[in-house]
Amino acid sequence: MKLKDAAHLFRLAGVFAAGILIFILVRSYLVPKSFGQYGHFRGDALTEIKAQPISYAGHQACEACHSDVLDLKSKGKHAQVNCEACHGPLAKHADDPGGVTPEKLDTAKLCVRCHEANSAKPKKFPQVASMEHSGGLACNECHTPHSPAIVTEGGKK
Amino acid sequence: MNMTRRHFLVLLPAAALAWENILAGAPETATNYHTSEHWWGMLVDIEKCIGCGSCVRACQKENNVPDGYYRTWIERYRIKEVNGVETLEVDSPDGGMNGFPSSNEPGVKEFFVPKMCNHCADSPCTQVCPVGATFVTPDGVVLVDEKYCLGCRYCIQACPYGCRFLHPQKNVAQKCTLCYHRITQGLTTACCENCPTGARQLADLKNPKDPIHEFLRTHSVQVLKPHLATGAKLFYNGLDGAVR
């Protein structure tokens, strides 16, 4: 076979090579640099998701300053309840303790969120029908929220 | 500086390497967090859940979840017998955000089931994504790349747990991120931080010191829809057979 007869094959190969080259160029331009860094996704997406600001500072941040509350709380029934579960998101307060101060809480509304009697709650969980129990009186009139058991002369009630 | 041609040629490859690094962008700021050292999941203790809705409220505030959509929610199951037939009622008013009204109906089995993304190891939602916008990270969290998501809703249909929704303004799929921005900083998730009874606990399955291992060894723990083999990592203690 003469080389001249195979010329059309070389032309075809040239077209293929050009096609592949264009594909590689376009692909490298369109696919983000971080794609495939960790898997079949854009690695930078992780950095972007991590950059979201936090609202809840976490109890470690609270305890760094409010060690007195921690001492009181650790002896009572609310030892396992984290600060922001009642006080709300306070990352801004943790960043700027003087500038942002937490709101005062209304215990008449706050405590019943957990302690209002409900037939679906676990039976062991302390719960009251708040209207019968206190008639709408704020809970902190009798209980200390950080250590809620009432200590009477006869012992803990 | 006296630079001969020989020196210049020797320095060229080094300069090329340096330029490559500049193009690749600044190296990741050094943190103590390495994705390969973690494998996240969560433990939910049904026997401790009081249905107060703290987790739902915390999630909404932490993640700016649009009103009426929930990345985590609480269901109340009520199982009773009507004419000898066991009937099941499930409700979740506002995702359980503001608690539940008491039913006080005698003879009914009632309990709360907090739900959220199961962060499946073999998740159906990531498999159907046509553009690679949703993925499982090397530390086992299922996330959505909002810049890549087309809003085609395939993943929303594929999730057997109903954990995804389309953001009404952004038109991209959204879901629980397991507070990825928090757990990579050493904090726990917003829902776990705010659970007053400790019914929810973040678990790192690759950390041998995590109490999850002792808990899994000593309790009968289940996942939802195990027959789908999704590799769910949301472990439930005390789960009733009626829960789906």
Side-chain angles (χ1 to χ4, degrees):
Chain A
M1 197 176 77
K2 285 177 192 164
L3 206 61
K4 204 177 125 194
D5 296 335
H8 67 287
L9 290 178
F10 286 115
R11 279 200 298 277
L12 199 63
V15 169
F16 266 96
I20 290 168
L21 190 73
I22 290 168
F23 173 77
I24 291 172
L25 284 176
V26 170
R27 189 181 183 280
S28 66
Y29 175 71
L30 290 179
V31 174
K33 262 228 145 75
S34 66
F35 199 93
Q37 191 182 352
Y38 302 108
H40 192 71
F41 59 93
R42 203 167 56 93
D44 284 348
L46 288 192
T47 323
E48 284 161 25
I49 292 167
K50 273 187 211 171
Q52 188 188 324
I54 60 166
S55 308
Y56 289 91
H59 62 103
Q60 297 93 338
C62 313
E63 288 160 5
C65 298
H66 301 281
S67 56
D68 52 328
V69 181
L70 178 67
D71 288 344
L72 178 66
K73 209 158 73 77
S74 61
K75 291 177 195 127
K77 283 269 190 185
H78 282 167
Q80 298 305 315
V81 183
N82 290 330
C83 314
E84 287 163 311
C86 299
H87 290 280
L90 286 170
K92 283 184 187 142
H93 169 67
D95 290 340
D96 178 14
V100 184
T101 47
E103 282 176 50
K104 277 275 170 205
L105 300 170
D106 179 4
T107 54
K109 286 183 185 146
L110 179 76
C111 303
V112 293
R113 271 191 205 160
C114 294
H115 292 288
E116 185 69 58
N118 190 315
S119 47
K121 283 181 184 170
K123 299 292 164 279
K124 279 187 240 163
F125 185 75
Q127 38 195 313
V128 293
S130 59
M131 275 336 234
E132 289 170 25
H133 179 77
S134 63
L137 199 68
C139 308
N140 60 353
E141 295 281 337
C142 305
H143 299 272
T144 324
H146 289 138
S147 178
I150 295 175
V151 182
T152 57
E153 280 175 29
K156 265 194 179 180
K157 194 194 157 191
Chain B
M1 198 175 122
N2 232 345
M3 174 88 80
T4 61
R5 181 184 297 179
R6 178 184 292 262
H7 276 129
F8 179 74
L9 287 174
V10 165
L11 283 174
L12 257 186
L17 270 179
W19 181 240
E20 190 64 14
N21 269 330
I22 291 165
L23 283 182
E28 211 178 337
T29 43
T31 57
N32 296 325
Y33 189 83
H34 302 288
T35 46
S36 57
E37 291 169 5
H38 304 272
W39 190 247
W40 297 108
M42 196 180 278
L43 180 68
V44 176
D45 198 337
I46 302 248
E47 287 155 21
K48 284 186 182 171
C49 182
I50 57 170
C52 63
S54 292
C55 48
V56 185
R57 288 192 301 273
C59 179
Q60 307 287 90
K61 282 182 191 156
E62 178 74 34
N63 298 302
N64 293 321
V65 182
D67 283 347
Y69 296 86
Y70 305 94
R71 291 189 185 186
T72 183
W73 68 100
I74 308 169
E75 291 174 0
R76 175 171 62 177
Y77 275 71
R78 305 179 68 244
I79 305 166
K80 56 184 169 185
E81 265 190 27
V82 179
N83 302 327
V85 182
E86 194 179 81
T87 54
L88 187 67
E89 277 177 20
V90 185
D91 67 342
S92 182
D94 293 332
M97 196 173 183
N98 303 310
F100 292 78
S102 182
S103 67
N104 288 323
E105 211 178 313
V108 182
K109 184 179 183 181
E110 292 180 292
F111 51 88
F112 298 109
V113 184
K115 289 198 171 172
M116 57 175 245
C117 171
N118 288 246
H119 293 284
C120 307
D122 303 306
S123 67
C125 57
T126 60
Q127 291 169 34
V128 299
C129 181
V131 294
T134 183
F135 48 87
V136 187
T137 65
D139 39 357
V141 181
V142 179
L143 294 174
V144 179
D145 180 351
E146 291 194 352
K147 287 194 182 157
Y148 253 45
C149 179
L150 301 167
C152 73
R153 303 169 175 86
Y154 278 166
C155 57
I156 299 173
Q157 294 185 38
C159 176
Y161 306 103
C163 298
R164 287 170 169 257
F165 60 88
L166 196 79
H167 192 286
Q169 279 90 44
K170 294 182 183 171
N171 277 320
V172 294
Q174 278 209 338
K175 63 179 290 300
C176 161
T177 61
L178 204 67
C179 284
Y180 200 67
H181 59 299
R182 296 176 62 90
I183 61 175
T184 50
Q185 288 184 41
L187 293 165
T188 187
T189 63
C191 54
C192 293
E193 178 71 32
N194 285 282
C195 180
T197 60
R200 283 171 176 257
Q201 274 164 42
L202 182 70
D204 184 358
L205 299 163
K206 262 194 191 170
N207 178 2
K209 288 178 189 154
D210 198 295
I212 177 79
H213 302 292
E214 181 65 10
F215 194 94
L216 290 178
R217 193 173 64 75
T218 52
H219 292 75
S220 302
V221 173
Q222 293 185 57
V223 294
L224 294 176
K225 301 186 185 180
H227 57 282
L228 295 179
T230 55
K233 298 203 292 321
L234 182 58
F235 302 104
Y236 285 95
N237 181 44
L239 189 73
D240 193 276
V243 179
R244 278 178 279 269

